[in-house]
Amino acid sequence: MLKTLAILTLFSSISAYTSLAETTDPVGAIVIPLKGDSDNFFSVPFFQPAAFEGVVDSLAGTTFTFSNVSWAEGQFEFEDADSSDPTLTYGLLVMTGANEGAVYKITSNSTSSVTVELINDDLNPIQTEQADGTGFGDIVQIVPFWNLGDLFDGTTLPDQTQIFEYEFNSGGKFKSPTTIYTYYSGLNAWGDGVSPTAVDDSAILE
């Protein structure tokens, strides 16, 4: 599920620095100028650095299993006590094969597998070592999604800056935003109209 963002009333440009998700380790940066007192549409061009890269050993339903790994249970689960960073939401990014470029939100993980959320997609084309032979399994990465706190960390934002979040999993035009986030400079935090301090960790690219 990919979410598109509209940002309102930003008065300065924003720089995003992170590693580009590739099988090598390139880095990149991009500056996005944003108009003040206006609507601005943009997408986040780079993934955060991968927490894991490997070959799919087997796939059953929506659970991917890997060999030669030993994770903590819940290591890639949002707000899990065993997570390497409980503020992060993780996704499984497919690097090769027919589903290359697809990203699936991770809902749980064991010591050697991750289970993903599947929305209007088909995992059958993904190749595995067990089903397709050694050397033929698809390569995947586990990557953290951007959240509001990380994406705008170190950026000075005007009070009441707003981000509109849209989901395009169904048809229709002129759709209303699913969530409106508002930045409160006095709290140095984002709010969603319900909680003004608890949404900095909300994943905005999933």
Side-chain angles (χ1 to χ4, degrees), residues 8-9 12 18 29 38 41-42 46-47 80 101 108 118 121 136 138 153 157 160 166 169 175 196 198:
L8 309 182
T9 63
S12 58
T18 186
S38 181
F41 290 84
F42 78 92
F46 298 125
F47 284 102
D80 190 282
S108 64
L118 191 63
D121 209 344
F136 290 95
D138 281 327
D153 184 36
L157 299 174
Q160 303 295 308
Y166 297 89
N169 292 314
K175 300 179 68 172

Side-chain angles (χ1 to χ4, degrees), residues 1 47 91-94 99 101-105 117 121 143 145 205-206:
M1 176 171 59
F47 284 102
L92 189 76
L93 170 63
V94 183
N99 285 32
V103 186
Y104 307 106
K105 180 181 177 180
E117 179 182 71
D121 209 344
V143 294
F145 292 130
L205 179 63
E206 57 174 271

Side-chain angles (χ1 to χ4, degrees), residues 30-118:
I30 187 170
V31 176
I32 304 174
L34 299 169
K35 297 180 179 179
D37 297 315
S38 181
D39 294 1
N40 294 267
F41 290 84
F42 78 92
S43 61
V44 182
F46 298 125
F47 284 102
Q48 297 210 58
F52 166 80
E53 180 175 306
V55 177
V56 181
D57 187 59
S58 64
L59 176 59
T62 59
T63 298
F64 294 74
T65 300
F66 304 88
S67 60
N68 302 317
V69 297
S70 182
W71 298 316
E73 290 197 20
Q75 182 172 336
F76 304 114
E77 295 178 33
F78 178 65
E79 291 188 335
D80 190 282
D82 294 318
S83 173
S84 52
D85 187 341
T87 68
L88 295 178
T89 300
Y90 286 88
L92 189 76
L93 170 63
V94 183
M95 304 295 294
T96 62
N99 285 32
E100 180 179 359
V103 186
Y104 307 106
K105 180 181 177 180
I106 294 175
T107 57
S108 64
N109 78 272
S110 70
T111 57
S112 61
S113 67
V114 297
T115 299
V116 302
E117 179 182 71
L118 191 63

Side-chain angles (χ1 to χ4, degrees), residues 4-23:
T4 300
L5 310 177
I7 292 188
L8 309 182
T9 63
L10 287 177
F11 294 93
S12 58
S13 62
I14 293 175
S15 300
Y17 298 89
T18 186
S19 295
L20 182 63
E22 293 287 353
T23 54

Side-chain angles (χ1 to χ4, degrees), residues 135-155:
F136 290 95
D138 281 327
I139 298 172
V140 299
Q141 288 185 344
I142 294 176
V143 294
F145 292 130
W146 284 107
N147 58 40
L148 294 169
D150 287 342
L151 186 63
F152 296 101
D153 184 36
T155 302

